[in-house]
Amino acid sequence: MGVVVGKRIPRYDGLQHVTGRTQFVDDVSYPNMLWVKAYRSPVVKGEILNVDVSQAEKTPGVAAVLTAKDVPANQYGFSNDQPVLAEKGVRFKGEAIVAVAAVDEDTAQEAVEKIRVDFKEETPVFDPIEAMKPDTPRVRPEGNLWMFGEVPYRRIRLGDVEKGFKEADVIVEEVYRTQNQDHAQLEGQVSVARLEANGVITINSVSQCPFLHQLQLAGILKVPLNRLKFIGGTVGGGFGSKNDMHADHITSLLALKTGKPVKWRWTREEEFLASTVQGAWIMEYKDGVKKDGRIVARKIRAIRDAGAYGSLNPYVVDKHCFLVCGPYAIPNVWIDGYCVFTNKQVSSSMRGFGITPASFSNEVQMDKIAEAVGKDPWEIRFINAVRDGDITATRKTLESVALIETMKEAAKAAGIQLPDHLMAMSSEKKEV
Amino acid sequence: MKKRGKGIASIFYPTGMSGGGDPSNALIKMKLDGTIDLMVGSIDIGQGCKTVLAQLAAEELGLAMEQVTVINDNTDSCPMDTGTFASRVTHSMGNAVVMAARELRQEILELAAADLKTSPVNLTIENGEVKIKQSPDKKISLADLAGKATFGMGKILAGRGGYVKAPTAKDEETGACNPFATAAYATTIAEVEVDTETGQVEVLQLISVYDVGKAINPMLCEGQIDGGSVMGLGMALMENLNPYYPGIDFQPTSFADYMIPVSKDTGKIIAKIIERPSTTSLYGTKGIGEMTANSEAPAIVNAVYNAIGVRITDLPITPEKIIRGLEEK
Amino acid sequence: MEYALSFSLNGKPVQVAVKANSSLLDVLRNQLFVTSPKKSCDTGDCGACAVLIDGEAVNSCITLALTVEGKKVTTVEGLGEGNQIHPLQQAFHEHYAAQCGFCTPGVILVAKALLDKNPKPTREEVTQAISGNLCRCTGYVKIIDAIMAVAEANK
């Protein structure tokens, strides 16, 4: 242990937190600050025929009404496929079409309610399995599947999976599903933007990655990075909810348009209906297992419900596929991971990305395997566990492996007596 | 009838963005009195990176925590960081901070060596003073050194650090790649009680052991496991944005209908840490921020199976699924 | 139309003109610039906006401002004596009960309301008392530890 490192030192900002003096973005306000409310699509999917903001603009106290035509480059996001404000059509219920800045929230909301948008409604697609079929209506013009290079799925291939199934004594199959989840971080999406006299926009941001958002915003506004100063650093919970830019682009555009400081604080309802979420997964497993419990082949088809736009979904699918075999050494692996678009709010990052569902499916499958070969759940994990120098399904060599050590410690903490031959195992070396 | 069961889950999780190419840069400058400004672009979303990064800088430079000022609040003053996600900050930015501190340390030692008429290798920094290891009474304080450097030499005492896991090449046909720097490991044991009449599942206890590589601050590691345990419990038993999936009908719009665990829902949480240092970190660290919410749901599902013989394959576990499962048996 | 409202805020008399439909939370945050009570759900479900009204913990987002006429309102800005922070604040700091810090002021006030009435609660009573405060970071473990540390000191 060091002098400071390894010590149970209280938080650097703990006294600020307990005295309520930590300044979160919503605690920032400026004189003459305007407040934002958004018009969000009441329909799930459709073409936008007309946007009438004339009555909203005439509402006393309204400073500016922002539509797609006010956005210099109306395309952004980690997959560079999202509009800041929808222009031609909408892909999910709650997608923002117009933003209003007014003297207070009530006035902005009153103006939003006077906005009229005409839609030509289209049939939405909700089920990713349906969306994968060729005749299903398209969520996006490019098709309902993300292309990973030349094919619409991420491929992981190791060894010969069919040979592995032939060598196996038992085949264990199951389909696993995980749900859409909200981050439910206590501090919602909120942003304050202010135009300085020298043309710099300062943005009080809840971003978890301000340098990436600075790049995205520079692209939207078509300005160099030194005209955008993100202020933040202390955020009221993230869990991945603040990796996508939700409000900073709108407040910046409205600050430019009005010259006044602008604040947008989402309601909790907007948070649930329109923010990014952890997308649902369907994971189809087929495992080949020897009588002694060793897994010799694994084939998985994994399907990610990506929602309406790309965002971090392709990354999430990659990450899932790289590690969906779990911390086990399996010699023959075949994985196809799909990123499927549906007319839901956008799936993106949430604590654990694509590995949260993988950990679930994988570990329930391990118990199912144990039962199929008549082994104890501990035994099945110990004998398949990765060790130092083992490779993953992508042929990545692992170092400082500690799976077996965590199992031994956990058993000890729970007062479970594991058999001697398991307690004798370690990640450092394999038994002869 | 109420039936109890235990279940386990063992997992791993990569540290840093999968695919690499996610840099972290750090700057440290010394003030006139020997205290330092640590400039990092990492965001503290509650996990405590300001604390951990300050600890690393203080350790390397022989300073107390109170002598470190963390500046992470704006993109003008701070060098680039990719962001606070992918369990990357303690490992990636931690490496950058240690590198920056070591560059500054070397600069300090060279200046002090000239002043004390010795070689830098003979020197150490303790409690804000540079001392000759063999004769610790021969020393100069960092305050004096910083003052001399600034006013006598017009010099800035500063250190830079940068770390990136090199972007991986990827074979599209096989997916072969080296996507991450290191991985952390964990095991959770869940104990549940299932009410076979109502289908209600109560989590009595979650015991988790996490391999963190090296705990820079054990209290903060435990905090991640505590919080992750309860978020994982929420995933297992409660949370669902689309109760009629794949449709979007009756989507929750408030905390009254999107249930997350409250204090009464958690059962007993036990968090333990083990350390198997990573060779990819200057202090052996790994990232556990995200994975702490991954091990509970499968452990709880396995515990439910152990209790009543019903294997839930789609989350969350609702009382309805339990009752239907029991009926089908 | 605005109405005159007088009440005691953290021991000091305040007078403010408020709309009939303004919540106490909005008046505190937007008109009096007391920002420790947080707006998180605005529907009374999360407890991040909790304040004490005559010693009772109340969600200020669903409390009409005009209902506190003549009452004593306390926020964490009003805890502690002079430069000395309240024992609960000290315990929250030492026990790492605050991670992101967003729910923290509300939980501390709910804990204070409990300890003022019941200085020596059991762990179950503490768990029950804070069950209206959502926290997504800590799993409540170290929050309860911190409150129990203060309760133990009372024993």
Side-chain angles (χ1 to χ4, degrees):
Chain A
M1 197 188 289
V3 178
V4 190
V5 159
K7 296 280 171 63
R8 305 173 75 86
I9 290 168
R11 287 187 72 91
Y12 179 88
D13 48 11
L15 287 171
Q16 290 285 105
H17 281 355
V18 299
T19 54
R21 290 187 204 169
T22 300
Q23 190 182 54
F24 294 97
V25 173
D26 194 26
D27 302 334
V28 175
S29 59
Y30 295 111
N32 303 313
M33 188 171 75
L34 301 171
W35 292 77
V36 179
K37 286 283 176 186
Y39 177 91
R40 295 183 176 281
S41 175
V43 308
V44 177
K45 188 190 181 196
E47 196 183 323
I48 296 173
L49 301 174
N50 184 48
V51 179
D52 177 5
V53 297
S54 55
Q55 295 306 307
E57 281 173 332
K58 283 182 204 152
T59 306
V62 167
V65 176
L66 195 76
T67 61
K69 64 180 190 315
D70 298 308
V71 187
N74 194 19
Q75 193 177 329
Y76 82 108
F78 287 106
S79 295
N80 198 33
D81 65 345
Q82 279 170 266
V84 174
L85 291 167
E87 184 168 17
K88 293 176 185 142
V90 291
R91 293 188 194 172
F92 69 94
K93 193 174 176 178
E95 189 166 359
I97 301 171
V98 185
V100 175
V103 290
D104 56 37
E105 278 183 305
D106 288 348
T107 307
Q109 185 59 38
E110 186 190 335
V112 161
E113 284 163 19
K114 293 177 185 167
I115 293 167
R116 294 289 169 264
V117 180
D118 298 323
F119 299 93
K120 184 183 161 210
E121 283 195 59
E122 294 164 2
T123 310
V125 183
F126 293 124
D127 185 350
I129 301 286
E130 283 299 314
M132 290 171 77
K133 295 175 183 166
D135 297 336
T136 305
R138 289 189 168 195
V139 173
R140 49 175 215 147
E142 306 91 324
N144 293 343
L145 298 173
W146 181 268
M147 297 300 289
F148 292 84
E150 313 241 301
V151 296
Y153 45 89
R154 165 61 60 211
R155 286 168 287 184
I156 308 290
R157 307 284 185 262
L158 179 69
D160 182 341
V161 77
E162 293 306 327
K163 187 166 153 268
F165 286 136
K166 279 195 197 105
E167 287 169 8
D169 298 310
V170 186
I171 301 292
V172 182
E173 292 181 274
E174 189 57 83
V175 180
Y176 298 96
R177 291 184 175 83
T178 55
Q179 73 273 46
N180 282 42
Q181 257 183 295
D182 192 86
H183 309 84
Q185 80 292 352
L186 269 279
E187 179 199 44
Q189 306 298 335
V190 53
S191 170
V192 181
R194 189 170 71 157
L195 180 63
E196 308 293 344
N198 60 0
V200 170
I201 306 169
T202 59
I203 303 135
N204 292 89
S205 173
V206 296
S207 175
Q208 291 178 233
C209 47
F211 291 91
L212 302 187
H213 288 172
Q214 190 185 31
L215 280 167
Q216 290 185 1
L217 187 55
I220 292 167
L221 301 179
K222 297 186 174 171
V223 298
L225 293 179
N226 66 1
R227 279 195 51 203
L228 302 173
K229 179 181 183 178
F230 278 71
I231 300 171
T234 303
V235 172
F239 313 111
S241 65
K242 295 160 180 170
N243 287 335
D244 292 84
M245 187 157 43
H246 287 104
D248 293 337
H249 42 17
I250 300 281
T251 54
S252 298
L253 284 158
L254 284 165
L256 276 171
K257 192 164 177 172
T258 62
K260 289 185 175 171
V262 176
K263 179 188 274 194
W264 190 15
R265 179 183 58 215
W266 286 28
T267 64
R268 187 54 61 175
E269 183 173 5
E270 285 179 295
E271 194 78 35
F272 279 113
L273 296 178
S275 75
T276 48
V277 297
Q278 165 75 292
W281 284 82
I282 302 163
M283 295 155 286
E284 301 160 356
Y285 275 63
K286 179 182 177 185
D287 285 346
V289 188
K290 300 287 276 184
K291 264 186 288 195
D292 65 3
R294 280 181 300 119
I295 307 167
V296 289
R298 168 165 287 180
K299 191 169 188 177
I300 296 172
R301 185 173 83 138
I303 295 159
R304 158 82 163 183
D305 188 339
Y309 291 98
S311 188
L312 284 162
N313 283 297
Y315 169 81
V316 172
V317 171
D318 270 351
K319 192 162 178 165
H320 176 91
C321 293
F322 294 159
L323 290 160
V324 69
C325 282
Y328 305 107
I330 304 174
N332 304 296
V333 175
W334 175 295
I335 296 160
D336 291 340
Y338 291 83
C339 173
V340 185
F341 292 87
T342 63
N343 292 109
K344 296 196 184 75
Q345 67 200 108
V346 185
S347 302
S348 186
S349 59
M350 180 168 169
R351 191 181 202 170
F353 290 91
I355 299 179
T356 308
S359 296
F360 162 70
S361 54
N362 203 58
E363 284 305 297
V364 180
Q365 177 79 354
M366 289 306 281
D367 266 31
K368 191 168 167 133
I369 290 171
E371 190 180 61
V373 295
K375 296 271 179 192
D376 181 77
W378 289 99
E379 173 109 23
I380 211 86
R381 287 172 173 82
F382 271 85
I383 61 176
N384 286 291
V386 286
R387 321 272 191 105
D388 286 347
D390 280 345
I391 60 164
T392 68
T394 71
R395 299 165 170 79
K396 154 89 183 167
T397 305
L398 296 169
E399 48 74 59
S400 66
V401 176
L403 189 70
I404 285 172
E405 287 70 19
T406 65
M407 287 196 280
K408 291 200 284 197
E409 280 299 317
K412 207 187 290 175
I416 294 167
Q417 187 71 48
L418 292 177
D420 291 346
H421 72 281
L422 299 185
M423 288 305 284
M425 290 171 73
S426 97
S427 297
E428 279 177 71
K429 58 177 195 306
K430 289 196 178 178
E431 302 68 31
V432 185
Chain B
M1 205 191 339
K2 291 191 173 179
K3 291 190 169 181
R4 288 188 176 193
K6 280 184 184 168
I8 57 172
S10 297
I11 63 168
F12 71 163
Y13 198 87
T15 299
M17 277 187 81
S18 287
D22 53 331
S24 291
N25 295 335
L27 278 175
I28 303 177
K29 67 180 165 70
M30 190 160 266
K31 291 190 208 282
L32 297 177
D33 62 353
T35 61
I36 59 165
D37 290 326
L38 169 61
M39 288 171 281
V40 287
S42 301
I43 305 303
D44 205 320
I45 57 176
Q47 85 284 30
C49 69
K50 280 186 271 191
T51 314
V52 164
L53 298 173
Q55 283 179 265
L56 288 168
E59 183 73 35
E60 285 290 322
L61 292 165
L63 296 170
M65 281 294 280
E66 298 72 43
Q67 293 170 300
V68 182
T69 300
V70 180
I71 299 170
N72 77 328
D73 64 357
N74 77 86
T75 50
D76 281 0
S77 310
C78 305
M80 198 269 179
D81 182 33
T82 305
T84 296
F85 55 89
S87 305
R88 57 184 300 287
V89 175
T90 301
H91 178 270
S92 184
M93 185 57 88
N95 274 345
V97 167
V98 172
M99 287 177 193
R102 286 182 182 173
E103 188 173 290
L104 171 57
R105 183 185 173 93
Q106 188 58 31
E107 206 166 33
I108 290 166
L109 294 182
E110 279 167 19
L111 278 179
D115 196 84
L116 299 169
K117 299 187 174 47
T118 181
S119 158
V121 296
N122 297 329
L123 297 174
T124 183
I125 312 178
E126 276 172 25
N127 301 324
E129 292 174 327
V130 188
K131 298 171 183 172
I132 296 178
K133 286 177 202 162
Q134 302 306 328
S135 41
D137 53 322
K138 287 186 185 159
K139 62 189 180 184
I140 179 168
S141 72
L142 287 176
D144 286 347
L145 206 63
K148 279 186 183 181
T150 310
F151 292 107
M153 305 160 78
K155 205 170 160 46
I156 174 172
L157 289 178
R160 298 164 302 171
Y163 172 83
V164 66
K165 153 78 181 74
T168 181
K170 189 161 56 202
D171 181 78
E172 289 293 339
E173 299 271 322
T174 63
C177 61
N178 177 13
F180 52 88
T182 189
Y185 298 80
T187 295
T188 289
I189 304 175
E191 190 178 355
V192 303
E193 187 173 85
V194 185
D195 186 323
T196 55
E197 268 173 66
T198 65
Q200 203 70 36
V201 176
E202 189 183 348
V203 175
L204 304 173
Q205 183 165 269
L206 290 167
I207 299 173
S208 292
V209 176
Y210 273 78
D211 153 46
V212 302
K214 164 76 187 170
I216 304 302
N217 187 329
M219 192 159 68
L220 270 60
C221 295
E222 288 165 13
Q224 290 297 298
I225 302 170
D226 291 343
S229 294
V230 173
M231 193 183 269
L233 184 151
M235 182 196 190
L237 298 180
M238 304 173 185
E239 299 178 29
N240 194 354
L241 264 179
N242 296 122
Y244 292 88
Y245 189 84
I248 60 169
D249 292 344
F250 300 101
Q251 181 160 349
T253 57
S254 76
F255 286 126
D257 45 10
Y258 186 87
M259 308 298 274
I260 66 171
V262 302
S263 54
K264 288 193 292 187
D265 297 322
T266 67
K268 193 173 181 191
I269 309 286
I270 295 172
K272 290 201 179 297
I273 295 162
I274 64 167
E275 296 179 328
R276 189 135 199 260
S278 169
T279 56
T280 65
S281 159
L282 293 166
Y283 272 72
T285 56
K286 301 171 178 177
I288 64 157
E290 296 171 277
M291 69 187 297
T292 53
N294 287 0
S295 51
E296 300 78 16
I300 290 168
V301 166
N302 289 339
V304 167
Y305 184 79
N306 182 243
I308 59 167
V310 173
R311 195 176 329 268
I312 301 292
T313 54
D314 58 333
L315 291 179
I317 308 168
T318 59
E320 182 183 338
K321 289 176 194 170
I322 296 284
I323 298 291
R324 284 185 192 282
L326 285 169
E327 280 171 3
E328 280 165 24
K329 262 187 28 166
Chain C
M1 172 88 187
E2 291 184 334
Y3 300 85
L5 170 66
S6 305
F7 63 103
S8 159
L9 177 59
N10 295 326
K12 295 196 182 93
V14 290
Q15 289 187 317
V16 60
V18 305
K19 291 184 194 162
N21 65 348
S22 287
S23 69
L24 177 59
L25 178 63
D26 279 343
V27 169
L28 288 173
R29 290 184 59 84
N30 300 343
Q31 293 184 249
L32 299 170
F33 303 104
V34 173
T35 56
S36 73
K38 302 300 179 195
K39 185 174 276 199
S40 175
C41 71
D42 214 19
T43 49
D45 295 313
C46 78
C49 66
V51 301
L52 302 182
I53 301 176
D54 289 345
E56 293 282 346
V58 174
N59 286 332
S60 64
C61 74
I62 51 167
T63 301
L64 286 174
L66 285 170
T67 63
V68 301
E69 176 69 33
K71 295 187 176 173
K72 285 184 192 152
V73 175
T74 306
T75 66
V76 291
E77 283 89 343
L79 297 190
E81 306 279 334
N83 288 330
Q84 199 67 34
I85 59 174
H86 189 275
L88 272 167
Q89 291 174 306
Q90 189 64 37
F92 268 59
H93 180 50
E94 285 170 7
H95 288 264
Y96 187 40
Q99 286 195 25
C100 83
F102 205 77
C103 73
T104 309
V107 189
I108 287 176
L109 291 169
V110 169
K112 183 176 186 301
L114 170 72
L115 294 184
D116 286 349
K117 275 190 218 135
N118 177 5
K120 301 168 188 175
T122 63
R123 202 172 171 92
E124 288 67 34
E125 286 170 329
V126 170
T127 304
Q128 172 70 33
I130 64 159
S131 63
N133 293 82
L134 297 182
C135 171
R136 195 63 156 164
C137 298
T138 65
Y140 309 101
V141 177
K142 287 177 169 31
I143 291 176
I144 298 169
D145 288 349
I147 300 169
M148 285 308 293
V150 179
E152 292 296 334
N154 291 337
K155 281 179 187 171

